[in-house]
Amino acid sequence: MTSFTLTDVPPMGGRTVVITGANSGIGRVAASVLAERGARVVLAVRNQDKGLAAAATMAGHTEVRRLDLADLSSVREFAHAFTEPIDLLINNAGLSLPPLERTADGFELQFGTNHLGHFALTNLLLPQVRGRVVTVGSLAHLIGSIDFTDLNWQRRSYRAYPAYGQSKLANVLFAHELQKRLAAAGSPVISTAAHPGIATTNLMNADGRGLRFRAEKALMSRVSHTAEAGALPTLYAATADVPGDAYIGPDRLLGLRGAPAPARRAARGRDADTARRLWDVSEQLTGTTFPFNSQHH
């Protein structure tokens, strides 16, 4: 197992990094560390003021660009304006457990933001990516299932936890299938995934007044680790010598905390048929496709 810490992140001079949701939590820590190591870091954020405030606290070369993952026109605009090479794309932004809301394109907010927005962004930016794509998943993928009959909660009565689990399982399946497609296309780019364990970030500041919510929050704060520790798996998946399709998470307390190491992925997070089917459906829903031809006919 590793003892990887923030100081183990290698020099990043001359590299361009794009991180979604980089104005808070683990995304902010990752952005700050990579900028400090010499990377040019682009904070892709929904709220530019918050992005600028976060960037102002970071040493090194940072830029803030607007990206609303819950609006495919914003995703296209961001990708269209990004013409230079990208060494590292970190799909970090995520939201958890909101009441039922829909994206600008009518998707359930968690599935639309956490998965479909990143799916479209990655496919649109891939021609410029020359290093790796890191997708941030969650332990919640372990309770997730993909309901192809009702991906966007139009028929079922909405439940925030299962919807979150579905969106995070989609992240893990996406990273897995992306690696398969990159390899088949003979691309040197690799796809990896990471999860932070339980980190004290504003994902946990979700509002809830019920007794169960308060009890869970109290328990979470006992076992959680800092955003700095939560960012380590992402940074490891982004910069360490790992193979494509690596999945990295904390190594202690069932993955809740600890040093980054290869993590347990649910069997359904590696299911080839589900991954391929989800990819096809995601292409239809977003109107984006994998930009390279496979070398296997």
Side-chain angles (χ1 to χ4, degrees):
M1 292 301 139
T2 62
S3 56
F4 184 87
T5 66
L6 293 178
T7 52
D8 295 310
V9 175
M12 297 291 288
R15 312 265 180 92
T16 294
V17 178
V18 175
I19 308 186
T20 66
N23 59 302
S24 65
I26 61 174
R28 180 177 179 153
V29 174
S32 182
V33 171
L34 293 167
E36 206 178 287
R37 293 290 184 278
R40 167 187 168 225
V41 178
V42 178
L43 289 74
V45 295
R46 193 178 65 215
N47 182 319
Q48 261 177 308
D49 291 339
K50 287 183 179 174
L52 290 164
T57 67
M58 299 177 187
H61 184 170
T62 56
E63 276 170 45
V64 177
R65 298 196 190 187
R66 187 173 181 280
L67 169 68
D68 183 354
L69 289 158
D71 181 349
L72 290 176
S73 67
S74 170
V75 174
R76 286 178 193 283
E77 230 164 87
F78 178 92
H80 185 71
F82 214 105
T83 51
E84 55 273 63
I86 298 167
D87 296 281
L88 187 52
L89 169 61
I90 301 181
N91 291 322
N92 160 79
L95 79 170
S96 73
L97 312 180
L100 177 61
E101 285 180 58
R102 304 230 166 254
T103 69
D105 306 278
F107 309 128
E108 183 272 317
L109 190 60
Q110 298 182 91
F111 187 70
T113 305
N114 298 351
H115 170 61
L116 291 172
H118 282 126
F119 177 91
L121 179 71
T122 302
N123 280 308
L124 291 167
L125 289 178
L126 262 185
Q128 277 118 270
V129 177
R130 54 189 182 187
R132 62 182 79 167
V133 177
V134 181
T135 300
V136 179
S138 161
L139 282 168
H141 92 275
L142 296 167
I143 60 136
S145 60
I146 308 286
D147 184 346
F148 285 105
T149 66
D150 191 19
L151 285 171
N152 287 298
W153 298 81
Q154 281 148 329
R155 290 193 280 286
R156 296 174 280 173
S157 87
Y158 174 76
R159 285 158 56 229
Y161 272 103
Y164 182 61
Q166 173 178 263
S167 75
K168 299 317 280 184
L169 176 58
N171 286 151
V172 171
L173 286 163
F174 163 70
H176 178 64
E177 179 70 10
L178 177 60
Q179 176 58 38
K180 200 178 267 187
R181 287 171 187 251
L182 288 164
S187 169
V189 173
I190 66 166
S191 164
T192 64
H195 79 83
I198 302 284
T200 43
T201 67
N202 33 355
L203 267 185
M204 277 177 60
N205 301 342
D207 216 19
R209 280 163 279 286
L211 186 61
R212 174 182 163 190
F213 181 88
R214 292 205 302 271
E216 282 175 359
K217 197 161 168 177
L219 176 67
M220 296 281 241
S221 58
R222 295 288 296 275
V223 298
S224 65
H225 52 187
T226 61
E228 284 69 28
L232 284 173
T234 297
L235 288 163
Y236 189 83
T239 64
D241 184 12
V242 293
D245 201 31
Y247 181 53
I248 305 297
D251 64 356
R252 289 187 302 126
L253 265 181
L254 299 172
L256 292 175
R257 57 194 297 177
R264 188 169 81 82
R265 197 172 347 201
R268 57 177 67 161
R270 295 186 306 268
D271 186 81
D273 293 336
T274 308
R276 192 165 44 244
R277 188 175 172 195
L278 178 65
W279 189 284
D280 292 342
V281 172
S282 302
E283 285 193 345
Q284 289 158 22
L285 292 174
T286 62
T288 61
T289 54
F290 184 69
F292 309 128
N293 289 326
S294 167
Q295 293 179 339
H296 304 310
H297 296 295

